[in-house]
């Protein structure tokens, strides 16, 4: 007999999903955005929430509703070669190359660095990275225990600790939101600036990875019918997304209010440290260390698990244990590059891959409306790919961006591609590709009928 999940089950699964999503970037980027957006925080936060929680929710729903077995299965609707390349690239971005090292470096710089001498940071970072990923690897060995580790223990602990800091910030605000200064980047287009800032959380990408973990967890609880699994995925995801939206908004407004006492910080990690120290002194620094390390550890566990399960699917001759080792050792090495460098290297890759992930999510959701025709997937993706390359080049380091050929391409994009200057140049090409795909699918159907 088909099992029906209870509200308590949805709550635990939603808590697990929230725990998997809410890591380093989810803490530091909303706070920094709040400081830069100042009095324009309402519209900036609205844009941030669309990419920060709206797209991740749609990603989870897309995996559940499409009844796909994971990202690779979903991306094969474009074609198998593209699916292989896109899946590997996405998992490297949210895994050992960018997101996982960032979790360790953020944990260290906010949670550990304030307590150790500056001249010893390099050594302590190396030791911390080793211990951090050793613990994440140990928990990831048994993915069936994720619900217990993350949903029932780590996530409630994280929420309790963060709640204490937020309570102090709102009961005794440092300044007012309406009178806060606005940085140049948020002066004219706060909504779109906030929208692209949401990319930094990596959550829309992670949703395509975590969606299958939720589906697997629901199946493990006794639900077998695909339609019921899809509905349960949506219900569980709704709980997670609501919680994320509330916390993002509180963090962003806390960042804005902090301008009453502090100037705009170098990054959200510095701002969080200042806020915690202001309200609780040395105890605040210790509390923040626990908040950050708990948040990053639970996300690391989810990413390592998702990475290993997907690569076992792509390369079935290799074992799950091998891939969790790879996903733990590599970021342990890359983490020693430092947080600033990791963010610098990851930005152009994110600007390239995010539009492709967003269009795949939207296509999966709209698929029943156009009869699941492959040509619609292919044309939308092909047109988006062109704009994604330009967005990636525009965010590249000067060594690449300032070459004459790249400057020629970027100049043409600025002149002829709407919204390119605000990082949204992919919208028109994606729309044109979608419409062309629809027309081609209708033409093919008409030819078959004749």
């Amino acid at each position: 007999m088909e099992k029906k999940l209870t509200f308590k089950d949805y709550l635990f699964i939603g808590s697990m999903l929230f725990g998997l999503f809410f890591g380093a970037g989810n803490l530091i980027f909303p706070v920094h955005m709040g400081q830069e957006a100042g009095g324009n925080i309402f519209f900036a936060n609205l844009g941030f929430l669309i990419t920060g929680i709206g797209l991740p929710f749609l990603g989870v729903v897309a995996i559940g509703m499409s009844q796909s077995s994971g990202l690779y299965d979903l991306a094969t609707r474009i074609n198998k070669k593209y699916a292989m390349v896109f899946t590997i690239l996405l998992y490297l971005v949210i895994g050992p190359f960018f997101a996982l090292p960032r979790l360790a470096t953020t944990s260290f710089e906010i949670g550990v660095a304030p307590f150790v001498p500056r001249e010893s940071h390099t050594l302590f970072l190396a030791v911390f990275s080793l211990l951090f990923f050793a613990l994440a690897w140990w928990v990831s060995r048994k993915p069936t225990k994720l619900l217990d580790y993350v949903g029932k223990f780590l996530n409630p602990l994280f929420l309790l600790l963060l709640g204490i800091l937020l309570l102090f910030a709102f009961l005794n605000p440092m300044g007012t939101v309406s009178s806060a200064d606005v940085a140049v980047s948020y002066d004219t287009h706060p909504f779109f600036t906030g929208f692209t800032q949401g990319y930094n959380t990596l959550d829309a990408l992670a949703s395509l990875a975590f969606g299958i973990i939720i589906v697997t967890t629901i199946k493990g609880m006794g639900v077998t019918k695909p339609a019921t699994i899809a509905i349960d995925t949506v219900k569980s995801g709704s709980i997670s997304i609501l919680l994320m939206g509330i916390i993002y908004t509180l963090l962003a407004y806390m960042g804005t209010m902090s301008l009453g006492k502090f100037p705009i910080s170098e990054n959200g990690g510095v701002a969080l440290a200042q806020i915690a120290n202001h309200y609780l002194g040395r105890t605040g620094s210790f509390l923040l260390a626990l908040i950050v390390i708990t948040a990053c550890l639970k996300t690391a566990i989810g990413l390592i698990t998702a990475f290993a399960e997907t690569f076992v699917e792509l390369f079935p001759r290799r074992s799950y244990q091998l891939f969790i080792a790879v996903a733990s050792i590599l970021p342990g090495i890359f983490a020693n590059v430092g947080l600033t460098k990791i963010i610098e290297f990851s930005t152009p890759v994110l600007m390239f891959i995010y539009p492709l992930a967003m269009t795949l999510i939207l296509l999966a959701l709209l698929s029943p409306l156009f009869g699941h025709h492959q040509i619609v997937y292919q044309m939308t993706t092909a047109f988006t790919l062109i704009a994604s390359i330009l967005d990636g080049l525009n965010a590249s380091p000067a060594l690449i961006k300032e070459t004459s050929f790249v400057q020629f391409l970027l100049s043409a994009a600025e002149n002829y591609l709407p919204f390119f200057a605000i990082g949204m140049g992919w919208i028109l090409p994606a729309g044109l590709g979608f419409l062309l795909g629809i027309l081609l699918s209708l033409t093919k159907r008409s030819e078959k009928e004749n």
Side-chain angles (χ1 to χ4, degrees):
M1 183 178 176
E2 180 81 0
K3 180 185 176 180
K4 288 188 176 180
L5 298 184
T6 64
F7 178 75
K8 186 178 179 181
D9 292 328
Y10 293 132
L11 203 59
F12 279 137
I13 298 170
S15 175
M16 179 183 76
L17 182 58
F18 171 86
L20 295 175
F21 273 131
F22 214 93
N26 309 75
L27 276 170
I28 63 177
F29 290 115
V31 176
H32 191 59
M33 178 187 70
Q35 286 195 325
E36 291 193 317
N40 285 340
I41 184 58
F42 177 82
F43 290 105
N45 184 61
L46 192 62
F48 186 90
L49 290 179
I50 291 177
T51 43
I53 65 170
L55 283 173
F57 177 64
L58 293 180
V60 172
V61 172
I63 294 292
M65 298 297 286
S66 66
Q67 298 177 17
S68 301
S69 61
L71 172 60
Y72 174 75
D73 185 30
L74 185 61
T76 54
R77 297 184 179 191
I78 299 165
N79 67 50
K80 288 187 177 181
K81 289 183 179 178
Y82 176 86
M84 177 67 78
V85 173
F86 181 74
T87 301
I88 291 174
L89 178 60
L90 186 144
Y91 272 91
L92 288 176
V93 169
I94 66 169
F97 283 4
F98 296 129
L100 279 169
R102 190 176 76 181
L103 290 169
T105 52
T106 302
S107 297
F108 174 79
E109 293 194 13
I110 300 176
V112 179
F115 300 98
V116 298
R118 179 167 292 276
E119 61 271 15
S120 302
H121 279 194
T122 302
L123 174 61
F124 275 89
L125 175 58
V127 174
F128 178 82
S129 301
L130 175 65
L131 296 174
F132 182 90
F133 286 110
L135 181 56
W137 165 82
W138 186 79
V139 177
S140 301
R141 290 176 307 143
K142 296 180 179 179
T144 54
K145 293 292 184 180
L146 267 183
L147 184 60
D148 291 327
Y149 288 133
V150 177
K152 297 180 182 179
F153 175 67
L154 285 176
N155 197 51
L157 175 62
F158 162 73
L159 289 173
L160 175 64
L161 295 171
L162 182 61
I164 294 171
L165 181 60
L166 289 170
L167 194 62
F168 274 97
F170 281 87
L171 288 177
N172 186 23
M174 298 183 203
T176 58
V177 172
S178 58
S179 62
D181 292 335
V182 179
V184 175
S185 56
Y186 286 88
D187 194 25
T188 53
H189 301 289
F191 175 84
F192 289 111
T193 306
F195 187 96
T196 53
Q197 282 297 307
Y199 289 4
N200 288 313
T201 66
L202 299 176
D203 284 345
L205 306 184
S207 69
L208 294 170
F210 292 152
I212 191 58
I213 294 180
I214 302 305
V215 172
T216 303
T217 301
I218 291 171
K219 286 180 179 178
M221 299 176 86
V223 181
T224 55
K225 290 182 181 178
T228 308
I229 291 171
I231 293 170
D232 288 343
T233 301
V234 174
K235 289 180 178 178
S236 303
S238 300
I239 293 171
S240 169
I241 294 307
L242 178 63
L243 191 57
M244 287 174 66
I246 292 170
I247 293 178
Y248 278 151
T249 302
L250 293 176
L251 286 170
Y253 274 80
M254 182 175 74
T256 302
M257 292 187 297
S258 72
L259 293 174
K261 292 287 185 182
F262 303 107
I264 295 176
S265 57
E266 183 183 350
N267 58 61
V270 173
L272 274 172
Q274 290 174 333
I275 293 167
N277 188 263
H278 171 80
Y279 286 113
L280 297 166
R282 195 71 170 172
T283 304
S285 299
F286 182 69
L287 174 67
L288 184 62
L290 290 177
I291 292 171
V292 172
I293 293 172
T294 304
C296 292
L297 181 62
K298 58 188 175 54
T299 301
I301 293 165
L303 289 176
I304 290 171
T305 301
F307 178 90
E309 288 183 341
T310 299
F311 272 69
V312 167
E313 179 190 349
L314 298 179
F315 306 102
R317 293 184 180 180
R318 300 290 183 258
S319 71
Y320 173 83
Q321 298 301 327
L322 170 66
F323 287 120
I324 64 166
V326 170
S328 302
I329 294 170
L330 287 181
I333 297 170
F334 296 147
N336 290 278
V337 171
L339 181 59
T340 303
K341 285 292 183 184
I342 290 171
I343 294 174
E344 181 184 328
F345 292 145
S346 66
T347 300
V349 182
L350 292 180
M351 294 301 291
F352 167 74
I353 201 171
Y354 239 92
L356 297 170
M358 286 190 280
T359 51
L360 179 60
I361 290 170
L362 294 173
L363 286 168
L365 294 172
L366 296 173
S367 197
L369 300 180
F370 57 81
H372 310 289
H373 287 291
Q374 187 179 37
I375 190 66
V376 180
Y377 279 89
Q378 291 177 337
M379 296 308 298
T380 306
T381 302
F383 276 65
T384 304
L385 180 62
I386 296 169
S388 292
I389 292 171
L390 293 171
D391 280 336
L393 290 173
N394 195 36
S396 294
L399 180 67
I400 298 173
K401 185 176 179 179
E402 292 181 1
T403 60
S404 56
F405 179 65
V406 171
Q407 282 296 305
F408 168 76
L409 292 176
L410 296 180
S411 176
E414 288 174 3
N415 290 327
Y416 301 108
L417 196 58
F419 313 119
F420 178 75
I422 57 174
M424 304 288 289
W426 59 274
I427 291 179
L428 182 62
L432 290 174
F434 180 74
L435 292 175
L436 182 58
I438 295 287
L439 290 173
L440 290 173
S441 68
L442 293 174
T443 302
K444 284 188 176 183
R445 188 170 68 181
S446 178
E447 289 175 352
K448 286 182 180 179
E449 290 175 353
N450 294 331

